[in-house]
Amino acid sequence: DELVWRHPFPGPGLGIRLLCAKEPYMNNDFADVTAQLAKHATDSIKTTLLPVRTVGVQGDDRTLSHLAALSGDEDWPTLQKIAREIPKSVHGVNRIVYVFGDTVAETSL
């Protein structure tokens, strides 16, 4: 019972969410976080910081922070590895999504 109540969200599972905002969220650390995120890109997988805030989990806590997108090759083991590393090392990002379709090169407004 103690372990169940520790989890900030109920149970594992596939979630399909539509994230939107009335205006882009680009605070003072957007460029810094973008630079940190770029270190996780590979030749075939691109990382992009999206100008949207989202609720996510870091450690045992809920956080309100940036959303990062991965795009490129559907190399699932590599994508999973990158998706796990980013929230641990880039503290301005708390959620990772994969973009199906064309590679997203950069955030443009």
Side-chain angles (χ1 to χ4, degrees):
D1 196 41
E2 178 182 328
L3 183 61
V4 171
W5 286 107
R6 190 178 136 219
H7 290 188
F9 295 105
L14 174 63
I16 298 174
R17 294 171 178 84
L18 301 175
L19 301 171
C20 56
K22 290 183 181 182
E23 58 186 54
Y25 176 73
M26 298 177 80
N27 61 0
N28 295 336
D29 69 345
F30 194 84
D32 256 356
V33 175
T34 299
Q36 292 174 30
L37 187 61
K39 295 175 185 174
H40 294 276
T42 67
D43 290 338
S44 61
I45 298 171
K46 302 299 178 203
T47 58
T48 307
L49 189 63
L50 302 177
V52 177
R53 283 194 310 177
T54 180
V55 174
V57 177
Q58 285 183 309
D60 289 335
D61 298 319
R62 289 184 188 201
T63 58
L64 184 61
S65 198
H66 289 288
L67 170 69
L70 302 177
S71 59
D73 289 351
E74 292 180 14
D75 176 2
W76 299 114
T78 302
L79 287 166
Q80 185 175 19
K81 180 178 177 244
I82 293 170
R84 286 185 175 166
E85 289 174 357
I86 290 172
K88 292 177 185 175
S89 63
V90 183
H91 297 290
V93 173
N94 65 4
R95 184 180 297 269
I96 311 296
V97 297
Y98 179 74
V99 177
F100 289 91
D102 294 338
T103 299
V104 179
E106 62 184 56
T107 300
S108 59
L109 299 175

XYZ file of all heavy atoms in Angstrom:
843
model
N 0.822 -1.191 0.000
C 0.000 0.000 0.000
C 0.875 1.268 0.000
O 0.587 2.220 -0.716
C -0.913 -0.026 1.219
C -2.050 0.965 1.074
O -2.613 1.066 -0.036
O -2.368 1.635 2.066
N 1.951 1.257 0.778
C 2.845 2.422 0.833
C 3.479 2.696 -0.533
O 3.595 3.844 -0.961
C 3.937 2.169 1.869
C 4.937 3.292 1.983
C 6.035 2.961 2.986
O 5.762 2.259 3.974
O 7.158 3.405 2.743
N 3.857 1.652 -1.251
C 4.480 1.814 -2.564
C 3.488 2.383 -3.588
O 3.838 3.246 -4.388
C 5.021 0.471 -3.051
C 5.776 0.484 -4.374
C 7.003 1.390 -4.267
C 6.212 -0.914 -4.751
N 2.248 1.946 -3.546
C 1.238 2.435 -4.486
C 1.015 3.924 -4.302
O 0.943 4.680 -5.263
C -0.093 1.661 -4.320
C -1.203 2.313 -5.133
C 0.097 0.216 -4.747
N 0.899 4.403 -3.086
C 0.630 5.816 -2.831
C 1.832 6.699 -3.121
O 1.701 7.903 -3.245
C 0.147 6.010 -1.407
C -1.255 5.518 -1.279
C -1.669 4.379 -0.641
C -2.414 6.094 -1.856
N -3.009 4.208 -0.783
C -3.499 5.267 -1.527
C -2.653 7.220 -2.633
C -4.796 5.542 -1.938
C -3.946 7.493 -3.035
C -4.993 6.662 -2.685
N 3.010 6.128 -3.243
C 4.213 6.883 -3.559
C 4.239 7.329 -5.018
O 4.815 8.341 -5.359
C 5.433 6.020 -3.261
C 6.722 6.768 -3.327
C 7.877 5.868 -2.972
N 8.886 6.165 -3.964
C 9.681 5.317 -4.539
N 9.626 4.054 -4.208
N 10.542 5.689 -5.428
N 3.600 6.575 -5.902
C 3.606 6.901 -7.324
C 2.738 8.127 -7.597
O 1.590 8.174 -7.189
C 3.075 5.725 -8.142
C 4.026 4.574 -8.156
N 3.834 3.483 -8.939
C 5.173 4.344 -7.488
C 4.814 2.618 -8.761
N 5.634 3.131 -7.876
N 3.284 9.123 -8.309
C 2.518 10.337 -8.566
C 1.410 10.171 -9.601
O 0.531 10.993 -9.693
C 3.563 11.337 -9.045
C 4.730 10.531 -9.466
C 4.661 9.223 -8.745
N 1.455 9.111 -10.407
C 0.418 8.865 -11.395
C -0.071 7.433 -11.245
O 0.694 6.556 -10.877
C 0.953 9.061 -12.821
C 1.345 10.468 -13.116
C 2.674 10.831 -13.168
C 0.380 11.440 -13.327
C 3.037 12.132 -13.442
C 0.738 12.749 -13.601
C 2.064 13.096 -13.657
N -1.320 7.165 -11.547
C -1.826 5.794 -11.398
C -1.313 4.876 -12.492
O -1.391 5.210 -13.674
C -3.334 5.966 -11.496
C -3.541 7.238 -12.231
C -2.347 8.095 -11.942
N -0.756 3.786 -12.090
C -0.396 2.670 -12.933
C 0.353 2.913 -14.232
O 0.352 4.001 -14.763
N 1.014 1.876 -14.743
C 1.690 1.970 -16.028
C 0.674 1.830 -17.156
O -0.435 1.368 -16.958
C 2.646 0.783 -16.001
C 1.957 -0.212 -15.135
C 1.214 0.597 -14.093
N 1.059 2.223 -18.333
C 0.180 2.050 -19.487
C 0.496 3.052 -20.570
O 1.288 3.964 -20.388
N -0.114 2.855 -21.693
C 0.070 3.742 -22.831
C -0.871 4.931 -22.685
O -2.064 4.765 -22.472
C -0.244 2.996 -24.130
C -0.232 3.824 -25.405
C 1.170 4.388 -25.659
C -0.683 2.987 -26.574
N -0.315 6.106 -22.775
C -1.143 7.306 -22.690
C -1.020 8.109 -23.966
O 0.071 8.338 -24.471
N -2.132 8.496 -24.517
C -2.131 9.371 -25.681
C -2.654 10.709 -25.207
O -3.776 10.808 -24.714
C -3.000 8.798 -26.810
C -2.431 7.463 -27.262
C -3.098 9.797 -27.967
C -3.252 6.731 -28.263
N -1.795 11.715 -25.321
C -2.165 13.026 -24.802
C -1.994 14.068 -25.888
O -1.063 14.010 -26.682
C -1.282 13.373 -23.613
C -1.517 12.449 -22.437
C -0.485 12.676 -21.351
N -0.726 11.836 -20.207
C -0.321 10.580 -20.102
N 0.337 10.012 -21.084
N -0.560 9.885 -19.017
N -2.870 15.026 -25.888
C -2.744 16.166 -26.789
C -2.317 17.347 -25.943
O -3.034 17.752 -25.032
C -4.079 16.468 -27.474
C -4.644 15.323 -28.303
C -6.016 15.686 -28.817
C -3.718 14.982 -29.444
N -1.144 17.858 -26.205
C -0.609 18.973 -25.441
C -0.700 20.232 -26.285
O -0.313 20.236 -27.451
C 0.843 18.704 -25.057
C 1.067 17.449 -24.220
C 2.554 17.174 -24.082
C 0.434 17.597 -22.859
N -1.220 21.280 -25.696
C -1.336 22.530 -26.430
C -1.215 23.693 -25.452
O -1.298 23.519 -24.246
C -2.642 22.600 -27.195
S -4.089 22.382 -26.154
N -1.010 24.860 -26.005
C -0.877 26.056 -25.186
C -1.387 27.249 -25.980
O -1.344 27.247 -27.214
C 0.576 26.274 -24.781
N -1.850 28.266 -25.276
C -2.317 29.476 -25.946
C -1.164 30.273 -26.521
O -1.303 30.951 -27.519
C -3.116 30.342 -24.974
C -4.443 29.729 -24.604
C -5.234 30.646 -23.713
C -6.551 29.986 -23.353
N -7.384 30.846 -22.535
N -0.015 30.206 -25.875
C 1.178 30.887 -26.363
C 2.401 30.050 -26.005
O 2.367 29.261 -25.071
C 1.291 32.297 -25.784
C 1.318 32.343 -24.270
C 1.286 33.773 -23.747
O 0.376 34.514 -24.122
O 2.192 34.115 -22.982
N 3.489 30.198 -26.747
C 4.688 29.391 -26.474
C 5.276 29.716 -25.100
O 5.247 30.861 -24.662
C 5.663 29.784 -27.573
C 5.011 30.809 -28.394
C 3.668 31.100 -27.858
N 5.787 28.691 -24.448
C 6.465 28.861 -23.163
C 7.966 28.821 -23.422
O 8.548 27.766 -23.596
C 6.061 27.759 -22.182
C 6.804 27.829 -20.881
C 6.504 28.822 -19.954
C 7.815 26.940 -20.587
C 7.194 28.906 -18.764
C 8.512 27.015 -19.391
C 8.190 27.995 -18.491
O 8.878 28.085 -17.310
N 8.563 29.985 -23.479
C 10.007 30.091 -23.711
C 10.568 31.032 -22.652
O 10.651 32.232 -22.866
C 10.300 30.601 -25.118
C 9.799 29.663 -26.196
S 10.045 30.271 -27.859
C 11.767 29.871 -28.084
N 10.930 30.463 -21.505
C 11.458 31.284 -20.419
C 12.943 31.567 -20.618
O 13.524 31.219 -21.650
C 11.174 30.634 -19.061
C 11.829 29.279 -18.932
O 12.490 28.816 -19.840
N 11.624 28.641 -17.802
N 13.585 32.181 -19.635
C 14.989 32.607 -19.755
C 15.969 31.463 -19.970
O 17.045 31.666 -20.522
C 15.408 33.410 -18.525
C 14.644 34.706 -18.425
O 14.149 35.227 -19.419
N 14.538 35.235 -17.219
N 15.627 30.259 -19.527
C 16.570 29.141 -19.666
C 16.313 28.291 -20.907
O 16.926 27.244 -21.084
C 16.575 28.283 -18.403
C 15.288 27.497 -18.196
O 14.281 27.808 -18.850
O 15.312 26.570 -17.366
N 15.442 28.729 -21.807
C 15.099 27.932 -22.993
C 16.345 27.605 -23.833
O 16.541 26.464 -24.241
C 14.054 28.660 -23.844
C 13.409 27.790 -24.882
C 12.333 26.991 -24.560
C 13.884 27.771 -26.179
C 11.734 26.187 -25.508
C 13.299 26.964 -27.142
C 12.221 26.173 -26.812
N 17.191 28.601 -24.075
C 18.407 28.378 -24.886
C 19.376 27.435 -24.174
O 19.995 26.568 -24.812
C 19.089 29.705 -25.196
N 19.511 27.583 -22.862
C 20.379 26.697 -22.074
C 19.906 25.247 -22.141
O 20.702 24.326 -22.351
C 20.365 27.121 -20.605
C 21.605 27.856 -20.196
O 22.526 27.977 -21.014
O 21.635 28.301 -19.027
N 18.614 25.070 -21.924
C 18.037 23.721 -21.938
C 18.156 23.122 -23.336
O 18.468 21.942 -23.489
C 16.576 23.738 -21.446
C 15.937 22.368 -21.562
C 16.500 24.229 -20.000
N 17.964 23.929 -24.369
C 18.116 23.460 -25.757
C 19.541 22.964 -25.999
O 19.746 21.918 -26.622
C 17.760 24.579 -26.753
O 16.397 24.954 -26.549
C 17.950 24.137 -28.183
N 20.530 23.706 -25.504
C 21.932 23.307 -25.671
C 22.235 22.005 -24.937
O 22.932 21.125 -25.465
C 22.853 24.420 -25.180
N 21.711 21.855 -23.720
C 21.913 20.613 -22.961
C 21.254 19.435 -23.681
O 21.807 18.339 -23.748
C 21.319 20.738 -21.566
C 22.035 21.711 -20.662
C 21.286 21.877 -19.357
O 20.611 20.966 -18.883
N 21.374 23.059 -18.772
N 20.079 19.676 -24.212
C 19.330 18.626 -24.898
C 20.058 18.174 -26.168
O 20.078 16.983 -26.490
C 17.937 19.160 -25.244
C 16.933 18.186 -25.822
C 16.655 17.060 -24.831
C 15.652 18.917 -26.175
N 20.679 19.105 -26.876
C 21.379 18.791 -28.131
C 22.514 17.786 -27.930
O 22.869 17.051 -28.855
C 21.913 20.072 -28.759
N 23.059 17.722 -26.731
C 24.146 16.776 -26.442
C 23.678 15.322 -26.532
O 24.492 14.408 -26.631
C 24.724 17.043 -25.052
C 25.403 18.398 -24.951
C 25.854 18.675 -23.539
C 26.424 20.080 -23.419
N 26.746 20.431 -22.041
N 22.376 15.107 -26.479
C 21.828 13.746 -26.525
C 21.447 13.305 -27.932
O 21.047 12.163 -28.131
C 20.611 13.643 -25.601
C 20.966 13.802 -24.168
N 21.413 12.769 -23.383
C 20.969 14.904 -23.365
C 21.662 13.215 -22.161
N 21.397 14.513 -22.131
N 21.557 14.194 -28.905
C 21.224 13.858 -30.292
C 22.300 12.951 -30.883
O 23.441 12.952 -30.444
C 21.081 15.132 -31.113
N 21.900 12.174 -31.870
C 22.841 11.335 -32.617
C 22.740 11.736 -34.093
O 21.964 12.615 -34.452
C 22.500 9.840 -32.457
O 21.253 9.582 -33.108
C 22.419 9.434 -30.994
N 23.504 11.058 -34.929
C 23.423 11.344 -36.368
C 22.043 11.012 -36.926
O 21.588 11.631 -37.881
C 24.484 10.553 -37.136
C 25.886 11.079 -36.861
O 26.015 12.242 -36.454
O 26.845 10.308 -37.049
N 21.373 10.028 -36.337
C 20.087 9.586 -36.883
C 18.879 9.979 -36.035
O 17.743 9.808 -36.467
C 20.104 8.075 -37.071
O 20.313 7.438 -35.823
N 19.105 10.482 -34.823
C 18.007 10.886 -33.935
C 18.244 12.318 -33.475
O 19.282 12.629 -32.897
C 17.888 9.937 -32.724
C 17.577 8.517 -33.203
C 16.819 10.439 -31.756
C 17.640 7.464 -32.135
N 17.275 13.161 -33.745
C 17.365 14.580 -33.377
C 16.573 14.835 -32.101
O 15.557 14.208 -31.852
C 16.813 15.466 -34.497
C 17.513 15.289 -35.823
C 18.975 15.628 -35.722
C 19.673 15.391 -37.049
N 21.087 15.192 -36.924
N 17.048 15.782 -31.311
C 16.347 16.207 -30.101
C 15.892 17.646 -30.294
O 16.633 18.478 -30.803
C 17.264 16.129 -28.867
O 18.409 16.946 -29.101
C 17.698 14.703 -28.583
N 14.660 17.942 -29.885
C 14.107 19.277 -30.042
C 13.357 19.647 -28.772
O 12.544 18.869 -28.275
C 13.125 19.323 -31.234
O 13.770 18.817 -32.388
C 12.641 20.735 -31.490
N 13.621 20.830 -28.255
C 12.882 21.336 -27.103
C 11.642 22.042 -27.624
O 11.739 22.932 -28.474
C 13.751 22.300 -26.290
C 13.170 22.738 -24.962
C 12.997 21.546 -24.018
C 14.067 23.777 -24.321
N 10.491 21.630 -27.155
C 9.239 22.234 -27.596
C 8.814 23.334 -26.620
O 9.009 23.193 -25.412
C 8.152 21.165 -27.709
C 8.476 20.011 -28.665
C 7.360 18.985 -28.650
C 8.699 20.532 -30.069
N 8.232 24.402 -27.112
C 7.859 25.527 -26.242
C 6.523 25.305 -25.527
O 5.598 26.105 -25.614
C 7.794 26.699 -27.222
C 7.374 26.078 -28.503
C 8.034 24.721 -28.527
N 6.444 24.168 -24.832
C 5.239 23.793 -24.103
C 5.666 23.297 -22.728
O 6.645 22.572 -22.611
C 4.489 22.651 -24.840
C 3.275 22.202 -24.069
C 4.107 23.074 -26.240
N 4.933 23.697 -21.702
C 5.176 23.136 -20.365
C 4.223 21.978 -20.150
O 3.073 21.999 -20.584
C 4.943 24.177 -19.277
C 6.048 25.147 -19.150
C 5.973 25.953 -17.889
N 4.653 26.533 -17.691
C 4.319 27.244 -16.631
N 5.202 27.466 -15.694
N 3.112 27.740 -16.506
N 4.700 20.983 -19.435
C 3.889 19.805 -19.177
C 4.201 19.259 -17.790
O 5.296 19.468 -17.262
C 4.130 18.733 -20.260
O 3.330 17.588 -19.973
C 5.574 18.321 -20.321
N 3.248 18.565 -17.212
C 3.468 17.913 -15.926
C 4.142 16.583 -16.201
O 3.710 15.820 -17.060
C 2.140 17.687 -15.167
C 2.374 16.885 -13.896
C 1.487 19.009 -14.849
N 5.223 16.328 -15.496
C 5.940 15.074 -15.646
C 6.477 14.633 -14.303
O 6.159 15.229 -13.272
N 7.276 13.607 -14.310
C 7.836 13.058 -13.081
C 9.352 13.113 -13.157
O 9.941 12.715 -14.152
C 7.373 11.602 -12.864
C 8.024 11.009 -11.632
C 5.876 11.531 -12.771
N 9.975 13.639 -12.103
C 11.429 13.574 -11.954
C 11.677 13.088 -10.532
O 11.256 13.727 -9.572
C 12.064 14.933 -12.210
C 12.086 15.273 -13.687
C 12.764 16.580 -13.990
O 12.453 17.602 -13.402
N 13.686 16.548 -14.930
N 12.325 11.937 -10.441
C 12.483 11.306 -9.132
C 11.117 10.826 -8.665
O 10.407 10.144 -9.389
N 10.733 11.226 -7.468
C 9.429 10.845 -6.917
C 8.442 11.999 -6.941
O 7.382 11.917 -6.326
C 9.590 10.366 -5.470
C 10.288 9.020 -5.397
O 10.221 8.277 -6.387
O 10.899 8.725 -4.358
N 8.776 13.077 -7.619
C 7.946 14.272 -7.583
C 7.375 14.626 -8.947
O 7.968 14.326 -9.979
C 8.772 15.479 -7.101
C 9.306 15.286 -5.695
O 8.562 14.765 -4.849
O 10.482 15.640 -5.467
N 6.236 15.308 -8.924
C 5.687 15.892 -10.143
C 6.382 17.220 -10.377
O 6.668 17.950 -9.441
C 4.196 16.164 -9.993
C 3.354 14.948 -9.958
C 1.906 15.329 -9.900
N 1.097 14.157 -9.686
C -0.180 14.077 -9.970
N -0.796 15.123 -10.460
N -0.845 12.973 -9.756
N 6.652 17.526 -11.641
C 7.266 18.802 -11.982
C 6.527 19.402 -13.173
O 5.936 18.695 -13.976
C 8.753 18.640 -12.343
O 8.874 17.731 -13.438
C 9.566 18.142 -11.165
N 6.582 20.709 -13.286
C 6.025 21.421 -14.423
C 7.203 21.992 -15.194
O 7.903 22.881 -14.709
C 5.096 22.537 -13.946
C 4.358 23.321 -15.015
C 3.450 22.400 -15.824
C 3.541 24.425 -14.378
N 7.487 21.425 -16.369
C 8.693 21.796 -17.081
C 8.511 21.608 -18.583
O 7.406 21.365 -19.052
C 9.854 20.951 -16.561
O 11.075 21.520 -16.907
N 9.617 21.695 -19.329
C 9.583 21.593 -20.786
C 9.350 20.167 -21.269
O 9.607 19.194 -20.567
C 10.913 22.064 -21.381
C 11.115 23.536 -21.287
N 10.428 24.428 -22.055
C 11.934 24.270 -20.512
C 10.809 25.652 -21.769
N 11.735 25.582 -20.827
N 8.921 20.090 -22.509
C 8.701 18.842 -23.222
C 9.769 18.729 -24.305
O 10.028 19.692 -25.024
C 7.307 18.887 -23.856
C 6.917 17.820 -24.844
C 6.771 16.486 -24.131
C 5.609 18.202 -25.517
N 10.394 17.579 -24.417
C 11.402 17.351 -25.456
C 10.868 16.332 -26.459
O 10.182 15.385 -26.085
C 12.702 16.849 -24.859
N 11.196 16.547 -27.729
C 10.771 15.631 -28.787
C 11.983 14.953 -29.398
O 13.012 15.582 -29.627
C 10.010 16.403 -29.860
N 11.848 13.665 -29.654
C 12.845 12.899 -30.390
C 12.250 12.586 -31.750
O 11.062 12.269 -31.854
C 13.180 11.593 -29.669
C 13.700 11.700 -28.240
C 13.916 10.308 -27.659
C 14.970 12.506 -28.196
N 13.056 12.701 -32.799
C 12.577 12.358 -34.134
C 13.733 11.785 -34.933
O 14.890 11.969 -34.590
C 11.994 13.599 -34.824
O 12.964 14.621 -34.932
N 13.377 11.071 -35.974
C 14.394 10.441 -36.815
C 14.141 8.958 -36.928
O 12.993 8.518 -36.946
N 15.230 8.185 -36.991
C 15.118 6.736 -37.149
C 14.316 6.114 -36.013
O 14.428 6.525 -34.858
C 16.507 6.091 -37.175
C 17.267 6.406 -38.443
O 16.661 6.971 -39.372
O 18.473 6.093 -38.497
N 13.546 5.094 -36.359
C 12.779 4.360 -35.355
C 13.635 3.243 -34.776
O 13.297 2.064 -34.843
C 11.486 3.834 -35.955
C 10.518 4.945 -36.314
C 9.225 4.436 -36.914
O 8.941 3.233 -36.817
O 8.496 5.258 -37.487
N 14.744 3.618 -34.192
C 15.669 2.700 -33.527
C 15.252 2.662 -32.057
O 15.744 3.426 -31.231
C 17.100 3.225 -33.691
C 18.125 2.395 -32.965
O 17.765 1.365 -32.350
O 19.312 2.774 -33.005
N 14.302 1.790 -31.736
C 13.651 1.818 -30.424
C 14.595 1.620 -29.251
O 14.450 2.316 -28.238
C 12.484 0.832 -30.400
C 11.455 1.194 -31.422
C 11.121 0.475 -32.535
C 10.664 2.389 -31.470
N 10.169 1.156 -33.262
C 9.879 2.329 -32.633
C 10.556 3.511 -30.652
C 8.982 3.331 -32.989
C 9.669 4.516 -31.010
C 8.889 4.420 -32.161
N 15.586 0.738 -29.303
C 16.505 0.624 -28.159
C 17.271 1.928 -27.905
O 17.429 2.354 -26.763
C 17.444 -0.508 -28.553
C 16.653 -1.342 -29.514
C 15.821 -0.345 -30.279
N 17.718 2.584 -28.972
C 18.445 3.849 -28.813
C 17.508 4.951 -28.336
O 17.863 5.747 -27.465
C 19.127 4.256 -30.137
O 20.000 3.198 -30.534
C 19.909 5.543 -29.986
N 16.304 5.001 -28.891
C 15.323 6.007 -28.454
C 15.005 5.844 -26.967
O 14.933 6.829 -26.229
C 14.037 5.889 -29.280
C 14.120 6.391 -30.709
C 12.923 5.902 -31.521
C 14.202 7.911 -30.738
N 14.832 4.601 -26.539
C 14.536 4.352 -25.132
C 15.694 4.791 -24.235
O 15.482 5.399 -23.193
C 14.229 2.872 -24.910
C 13.803 2.569 -23.489
C 13.392 1.121 -23.318
O 13.734 0.255 -24.115
N 12.655 0.849 -22.258
N 16.903 4.511 -24.664
C 18.087 4.909 -23.893
C 18.154 6.428 -23.768
O 18.350 6.975 -22.673
C 19.345 4.370 -24.571
C 20.623 4.720 -23.875
C 21.813 4.098 -24.603
C 23.088 4.526 -23.929
N 23.926 5.331 -24.786
N 17.985 7.135 -24.884
C 18.027 8.604 -24.864
C 16.891 9.166 -24.019
O 17.090 10.088 -23.223
C 17.968 9.156 -26.306
C 19.237 8.778 -27.082
C 17.790 10.671 -26.305
C 19.156 9.070 -28.570
N 15.699 8.603 -24.180
C 14.532 9.088 -23.430
C 14.700 8.907 -21.921
O 14.172 9.692 -21.140
C 13.274 8.369 -23.911
N 15.429 7.903 -21.514
C 15.687 7.708 -20.080
C 16.780 8.644 -19.567
O 16.748 9.062 -18.415
C 16.077 6.267 -19.805
C 14.917 5.330 -19.873
C 15.328 3.942 -19.481
N 14.158 3.082 -19.435
C 14.210 1.779 -19.382
N 15.379 1.168 -19.365
N 13.117 1.067 -19.341
N 17.769 8.933 -20.408
C 18.896 9.777 -19.991
C 18.516 11.256 -19.864
O 18.993 11.937 -18.961
C 20.041 9.656 -21.003
C 20.764 8.337 -20.978
C 21.787 8.215 -22.095
O 21.892 9.142 -22.930
O 22.473 7.191 -22.136
N 17.692 11.752 -20.769
C 17.415 13.186 -20.816
C 16.841 13.737 -19.510
O 17.402 14.692 -18.959
C 16.520 13.546 -22.027
C 17.332 13.373 -23.313
C 15.985 14.971 -21.918
C 16.516 13.511 -24.588
N 15.767 13.186 -18.952
C 15.236 13.777 -17.707
C 16.211 13.697 -16.526
O 16.123 14.498 -15.600
C 13.979 12.962 -17.420
C 13.608 12.357 -18.720
C 14.897 12.131 -19.444
N 17.134 12.745 -16.572
C 18.113 12.631 -15.492
C 19.191 13.692 -15.582
O 19.705 14.151 -14.566
C 18.769 11.244 -15.520
C 17.820 10.125 -15.158
C 18.515 8.793 -15.284
C 17.552 7.655 -15.041
N 18.159 6.354 -15.277
N 19.566 14.081 -16.801
C 20.679 15.017 -16.956
C 20.265 16.420 -17.394
O 21.026 17.364 -17.201
C 21.687 14.451 -17.951
O 21.094 14.304 -19.222
N 19.094 16.579 -17.971
C 18.601 17.890 -18.388
C 17.417 18.227 -17.488
O 16.290 17.811 -17.743
C 18.179 17.889 -19.882
C 17.729 19.276 -20.309
C 19.315 17.398 -20.759
N 17.676 18.975 -16.432
C 16.652 19.194 -15.409
C 15.520 20.101 -15.850
O 14.496 20.174 -15.195
C 17.299 19.697 -14.118
C 18.230 18.684 -13.532
N 17.784 17.520 -12.956
C 19.578 18.634 -13.487
C 18.810 16.801 -12.565
N 19.924 17.450 -12.880
N 15.656 20.753 -16.995
C 14.574 21.576 -17.529
C 13.587 20.786 -18.362
O 12.643 21.342 -18.907
N 13.782 19.463 -18.477
C 12.903 18.594 -19.278
C 12.371 17.482 -18.386
O 13.133 16.814 -17.694
C 13.671 17.978 -20.475
C 12.822 16.959 -21.199
C 14.129 19.063 -21.414
N 11.059 17.273 -18.418
C 10.489 16.214 -17.591
C 9.648 15.211 -18.375
O 9.118 14.274 -17.814
C 9.657 16.794 -16.454
C 8.431 17.534 -16.932
O 8.136 17.571 -18.116
N 7.727 18.141 -16.015
N 9.499 15.426 -19.664
C 8.710 14.493 -20.477
C 9.331 14.430 -21.872
O 9.764 15.425 -22.419
C 7.265 14.960 -20.567
C 6.355 14.003 -21.305
C 4.931 14.518 -21.357
N 4.337 14.630 -20.051
C 3.640 13.667 -19.445
N 3.465 12.515 -20.049
N 3.108 13.871 -18.258
N 9.320 13.211 -22.447
C 9.890 12.974 -23.769
C 8.798 12.375 -24.656
O 8.065 11.485 -24.223
C 11.065 11.971 -23.706
C 12.063 12.333 -22.607
C 11.735 11.841 -25.055
C 12.762 13.642 -22.796
N 8.720 12.851 -25.892
C 7.788 12.275 -26.864
C 8.565 11.918 -28.127
O 9.635 12.460 -28.385
C 6.640 13.245 -27.213
C 5.788 13.538 -25.995
C 7.158 14.531 -27.825
N 8.015 10.984 -28.888
C 8.593 10.656 -30.190
C 7.681 11.226 -31.262
O 6.465 11.062 -31.207
C 8.741 9.141 -30.372
C 9.317 8.799 -31.726
C 10.668 9.006 -31.982
C 8.512 8.320 -32.747
C 11.206 8.737 -33.229
C 9.040 8.041 -33.992
C 10.385 8.260 -34.231
O 10.914 8.004 -35.461
N 8.267 11.892 -32.245
C 7.509 12.495 -33.340
C 7.583 11.552 -34.537
O 8.657 11.330 -35.094
C 8.074 13.878 -33.725
C 7.320 14.459 -34.905
C 8.025 14.817 -32.532
N 6.447 10.979 -34.920
C 6.380 10.137 -36.105
C 6.331 11.039 -37.333
O 5.738 12.111 -37.301
C 5.138 9.248 -36.068
C 5.217 8.162 -35.040
C 4.735 8.371 -33.761
C 5.787 6.937 -35.355
C 4.800 7.367 -32.812
C 5.859 5.932 -34.400
C 5.367 6.166 -33.121
N 6.963 10.613 -38.407
C 6.957 11.409 -39.631
C 8.309 12.055 -39.849
O 9.346 11.504 -39.494
N 8.296 13.255 -40.424
C 9.534 13.959 -40.743
C 10.319 14.315 -39.488
O 9.759 14.567 -38.419
C 9.236 15.251 -41.513
C 8.640 14.971 -42.881
O 8.844 13.848 -43.400
O 7.969 15.860 -43.421
N 11.641 14.373 -39.628
C 12.524 14.772 -38.539
C 12.281 16.225 -38.182
O 12.196 17.093 -39.058
C 13.999 14.582 -38.948
O 14.199 13.191 -39.220
C 14.942 15.007 -37.844
N 12.154 16.505 -36.913
C 11.982 17.872 -36.440
C 13.379 18.437 -36.189
O 14.114 17.944 -35.347
C 11.157 17.918 -35.137
C 11.004 19.343 -34.628
C 9.800 17.266 -35.352
N 13.756 19.459 -36.935
C 15.119 19.971 -36.864
C 15.304 20.968 -35.721
O 16.297 20.958 -35.026
C 15.510 20.624 -38.172
N 14.339 21.874 -35.514
C 14.470 22.880 -34.476
C 13.106 23.470 -34.156
O 12.169 23.319 -34.923
C 15.428 23.987 -34.887
C 14.959 24.756 -36.108
C 15.983 25.791 -36.572
O 17.120 25.400 -36.832
O 15.600 26.951 -36.652
N 13.033 24.173 -33.042
C 11.795 24.841 -32.673
C 11.694 26.124 -33.475
O 12.603 26.947 -33.471
C 11.781 25.167 -31.167
O 11.901 23.950 -30.460
C 10.512 25.865 -30.774
N 10.600 26.289 -34.191
C 10.395 27.533 -34.929
C 9.026 28.090 -34.578
O 8.060 27.360 -34.484
C 10.509 27.290 -36.429
O 9.550 26.346 -36.848
N 8.990 29.372 -34.356
C 7.718 30.008 -33.976
C 7.311 31.020 -35.010
O 8.067 31.651 -35.636
C 7.875 30.687 -32.610
C 8.240 29.739 -31.480
C 8.499 30.521 -30.216
C 7.129 28.742 -31.255
